[in-house]
Amino acid sequence: QKEVEQNSGPLSVPEGAIASLNCTYSDRGSQSFFWYRQYSGKSPELIMFIYSNGDKEDGRFTAQLNKASQYVSLLIRDSQPSDSATYLCAVIPSNTGKLIFGQGTTLQVKP
Amino acid sequence: DTAVSQTPKYLVTQMGNDKSIKCEQNLGHDTMYWYKQDSKKFLKIMFSYNNKELIINETVPNRFSPKSPDKAHLNLHINSLELGDSAVYFCASSQEHGDISHFGEGSWLTVV
């Protein structure tokens, strides 16, 4: 079982729609969860982090964490073509200090 | 002013050669990392240093040797390069261990 799993996609949504990106993780003791965006040929950029169960909002982005289900998601409201990128979920498993990445989900926002 | 800078950005070299990639951060962070991103875009941690001390050393061939002369610099030396070493190598830094906030622009290594 992979430590962090994402559907590689591509996930295609029309402009203005809500894009929902999902991620599951295997270590139940994980405490820190991150979402990065990576444009083709560029480095990952940190979008959001979340530590507690529930929702965390930042502009058009909402991160949702459910530790009981070992599930973290990222919602992007009012999706724009400029949001088209690969979204990487990352988790720090308990007592490791290692940031482990999923394989990423490619998002395509069509005008 | 780039927060995490890597050199070189592109490197094409022959099998068997030895090469180095350098990284510098000006954020005052205590921890620096090397990650490898393969052709399938999967990012995998290789090494982590905290204040010049090696704290994470993943299952990486010993042809790869990191060096941190001070907490703002982390270099990666690769001996006897192989075709499978072709990848993008990202340097990163964080204030808290594991909470990576900044990545370098990446070093594209192609071994021919």
Side-chain angles (χ1 to χ4, degrees):
Chain A
Q1 182 185 8
K2 289 182 184 173
E3 291 179 277
V4 182
E5 293 208 56
Q6 298 179 255
N7 187 323
S8 60
L11 172 66
S12 185
V13 301
E15 184 175 355
I18 295 175
S20 177
L21 302 153
N22 304 316
C23 172
T24 58
Y25 58 95
S26 61
D27 181 71
R28 186 168 286 279
S30 299
Q31 296 295 321
S32 306
F33 307 86
F34 304 81
W35 283 99
Y36 295 81
R37 177 177 61 200
Q38 187 175 24
Y39 292 112
S40 181
K42 301 293 185 183
S43 58
E45 308 166 66
L46 179 64
I47 301 174
M48 293 190 72
F49 57 87
I50 185 167
Y51 301 141
S52 305
N53 270 333
D55 294 359
K56 180 180 178 183
E57 189 173 316
D58 184 1
R60 295 186 296 113
F61 298 98
T62 299
Q64 299 176 316
L65 176 61
N66 183 327
K67 290 186 178 180
S69 301
Q70 294 175 239
Y71 175 96
V72 58
S73 64
L74 180 70
L75 301 178
I76 307 174
R77 287 182 299 283
D78 187 24
S79 295
Q80 301 298 308
S82 58
D83 294 326
S84 299
T86 297
Y87 288 81
L88 301 165
C89 172
V91 175
I92 300 178
S94 53
N95 301 320
T96 65
K98 286 190 281 190
L99 187 62
I100 306 298
F101 284 83
Q103 69 268 39
T105 299
T106 299
L107 173 66
Q108 296 173 346
V109 181
K110 304 209 166 167
Chain B
D1 199 19
T2 306
V4 181
S5 57
Q6 296 179 227
T7 54
K9 184 162 184 178
Y10 300 102
L11 186 54
V12 181
T13 188
Q14 291 189 324
M15 282 176 55
N17 283 351
D18 304 338
K19 291 294 176 187
S20 292
I21 307 171
K22 296 187 176 184
C23 179
E24 176 181 1
Q25 56 97 0
N26 62 7
L27 298 162
H29 287 169
D30 288 337
T31 309
M32 296 183 72
Y33 311 80
W34 281 112
Y35 276 80
K36 178 181 180 181
Q37 189 167 45
D38 60 25
S39 56
K40 294 183 179 177
K41 308 299 183 190
F42 185 60
L43 258 175
K44 186 170 168 54
I45 190 167
M46 301 174 69
F47 302 103
S48 167
Y49 271 76
N50 182 270
N51 262 321
K52 303 192 296 175
E53 182 183 348
L54 179 65
I55 49 175
I56 293 174
N57 185 351
E58 287 296 276
T59 310
V60 175
N62 58 15
R63 299 182 294 104
F64 290 78
S65 52
K67 279 199 173 59
S68 181
D70 56 61
K71 77 172 193 177
H73 295 84
L74 179 61
N75 304 324
L76 182 66
H77 188 76
I78 315 170
N79 289 325
S80 303
L81 278 155
E82 299 178 357
L83 293 176
D85 298 331
S86 296
V88 185
Y89 293 84
F90 285 103
C91 179
S93 73
S94 68
Q95 186 54 45
E96 299 295 328
H97 191 215
D99 291 19
I100 293 178
S101 57
H102 292 79
F103 280 86
E105 294 182 336
S107 294
W108 270 253
L109 172 65
T110 304
V111 182
V112 297

